Amino acid sequence: MSRIAYVNGRYLPFGEAHVHVEDRGYQLGDGVYEVCEIRDGALVDERRHFERLSRSLAALRIVPPLSSEPLRFVVAETVRRNRVREGLVYVQITRGVARRDHGFPERSPKAALVVTVRALDRAKIDASARTGISVITVPDDRWGRVDIKTIGLLPNVLARQAAKEAGAKDAWFVDDEGFVTEGASSNAWIVKDGILRTRESSSRILTGITMMVVKELAADLQIKVDLRAFTVEEVRAADEAFLTSATQTVMPVVRIDGSAVGSGRPGPLTTRLREAFYRKAELGRSIT
Ligand code: PMP
C-alpha cells in the first residue's frame, strides 16, 4: 500500500508529495511539529498534543493554517487513508513560502501544513522494553527555547547519531552544570528509594505529553515524584532509570555511558508505570 501524505490541502501518494523550495521550514527551520501515537486505530492523548502544537505556534507567532476542528479532521483522515492502526502521525506546520529572508515576511504567507503517518512495530518496542535500552550522554548545546517543539533538530540528530555509533539507543543531553536535561527525543527519569525524579518543566526541556501522563499516573499509584534535575553520577547510583516519549511510552534505561543502572535490568517501578500507562492516557475514538 502506498503511503499517503496530506500537503497543503491535498492527500497525495508519497511520490507526489512535495513542498516548495522556498518553504521557510526547509530554508530556515521556521516551523513546529507534533508526533502523536496511534494505538488500536485511535489517537493517544490527541487533546494534549494539539494543545502543545497551539502553544508552539503561538510562541513563533505562526497563524495556524486551519482551525482546531478542521485540523483534527485532516489528521484523522490522513491516518484513515493510510489504514494504520499501530503507528505515529506526524504534523508539521511551517510559516509558509516566502522569498528567503530571515525576518518574518511583510505579508504573512499561509502557513504550510504537512501530515504523514507511519506504522510502528510494537512487538519490537515491547521487546526492547523487556531488556531495557542503553543511552550515552552528550553536552546539551541546543538553543535556549527547547520547550517550543520546533523542527530545528540538528543537535538532536547529531546526538542520536552519536548514540547509534556508540551502540546505544538514545542520547541524554547534559547541561553545563552536569545535570541531565532530557533525551534527544524523550524525557529522562530516575528512580531512587521508591521516588521518581525528573526535571521540572522549563525552557530547557520539552514538556513531554507522556511525561505529563506519567506524573498523573504516579499520583494515582501514590508514587512520589520529585521535580529536580539529576546528574549523570546520580543516574549511575539510581535504582532504575527510564525515558518517556509518545513513541516509546515508558522505556527502561539500563546502561548509561557503558555503566549499568541499578541491576542492569528493567526495574519494578518502571515496569509498573509502563504496564499502567494506557490506563491514564486519553484514547480517542477508533479511526481505522
Ligand atoms: N523531548 C524531546 C526533545 C522530544 O523530541 C520528545 C518527543 N517528542 C520528548 C521530549 C517527549 O515528548 P512526548 O512525550 O510528547 O513525545
Side-chain angles (χ1 to χ4, degrees):
M1 186 192 75
S2 83
R3 288 169 71 191
I4 304 291
Y6 173 92
V7 187
N8 296 323
R10 297 200 293 162
Y11 299 93
L12 298 165
F14 257 45
E16 294 163 35
H18 305 295
V19 293
H20 197 282
V21 287
E22 284 203 310
D23 186 287
R24 288 177 61 95
Y26 173 63
Q27 291 280 349
L28 304 160
D30 187 0
V32 300
Y33 74 106
E34 269 303 323
V35 180
C36 188
E37 188 194 358
I38 308 159
R39 184 182 169 84
D40 294 335
L43 296 180
V44 179
D45 288 315
E46 178 188 11
R47 177 184 60 84
R48 284 172 149 154
H49 282 282
F50 277 91
E51 282 171 8
R52 186 171 63 186
L53 181 62
S54 295
R55 287 196 299 276
S56 297
L57 288 166
L60 300 190
R61 289 192 275 151
I62 294 176
V63 179
L66 294 175
S67 54
S68 172
E69 278 309 309
L71 181 58
R72 280 169 180 242
F73 174 82
V74 164
V75 169
E77 183 61 15
T78 313
V79 173
R80 204 181 61 73
R81 289 188 187 218
N82 281 280
R83 296 198 201 116
V84 165
R85 287 187 55 77
E86 306 293 330
L88 297 175
V89 56
Y90 179 90
V91 181
Q92 172 166 313
I93 299 177
T94 71
R95 199 178 304 279
V97 177
R99 195 167 75 95
R100 193 177 188 284
D101 187 18
H102 286 61
F104 295 174
E106 281 302 316
R107 289 221 318 271
S108 284
K110 189 167 171 57
L113 170 63
V114 170
V115 183
T116 52
V117 174
R118 75 162 211 237
L120 262 189
D121 187 347
R122 198 175 301 285
K124 205 168 146 195
I125 297 172
D126 286 343
S128 290
R130 280 195 291 277
T131 51
I133 62 162
S134 307
V135 300
I136 60 161
T137 59
V138 293
D140 194 342
D141 51 7
R142 298 175 300 163
W143 74 318
R145 289 301 310 273
V146 297
D147 55 313
I148 310 169
K149 198 163 169 60
T150 81
I151 57 174
L153 291 172
L154 192 51
N156 311 58
V157 166
L158 296 178
R160 181 61 65 74
Q161 182 60 24
K164 205 164 145 186
E165 288 171 13
K169 266 284 171 57
D170 203 1
W172 281 9
F173 289 118
V174 178
D175 70 15
D176 290 344
E177 282 86 49
F179 292 99
V180 172
T181 50
E182 62 179 336
S185 58
S186 60
N187 291 109
W189 300 67
I190 56 171
V191 182
K192 184 74 183 169
D193 300 328
I195 296 173
L196 306 182
R197 195 149 152 203
T198 193
R199 199 166 170 128
E200 192 169 20
S201 284
S202 73
S203 56
R204 302 299 307 271
I205 63 165
L206 181 78
T207 300
I209 303 303
T210 320
M211 175 195 223
M212 290 162 67
V213 173
V214 169
K215 282 180 189 168
E216 289 185 5
L217 179 61
D220 282 4
L221 300 175
Q222 296 180 330
I223 303 167
K224 198 167 167 258
V225 182
D226 189 3
L227 295 179
R228 260 183 327 123
F230 47 81
T231 63
V232 179
E233 259 324 299
E234 286 175 300
V235 181
R236 281 204 199 94
D239 301 322
E240 306 175 32
F242 62 92
L243 58 78
T244 54
S245 77
T247 321
Q248 311 199 69
T249 67
V250 177
M251 179 58 72
V253 169
V254 296
R255 297 189 86 76
I256 186 161
D257 291 333
S259 306
V261 178
S263 65
R265 287 197 303 275
L269 268 185
T270 305
T271 305
R272 196 163 158 218
L273 291 168
R274 182 174 176 84
E275 285 170 0
F277 180 77
Y278 291 104
R279 268 197 248 151
K280 199 69 201 169
E282 288 174 11
L283 212 57
R285 276 189 297 113
S286 183
I287 303 166
T288 51

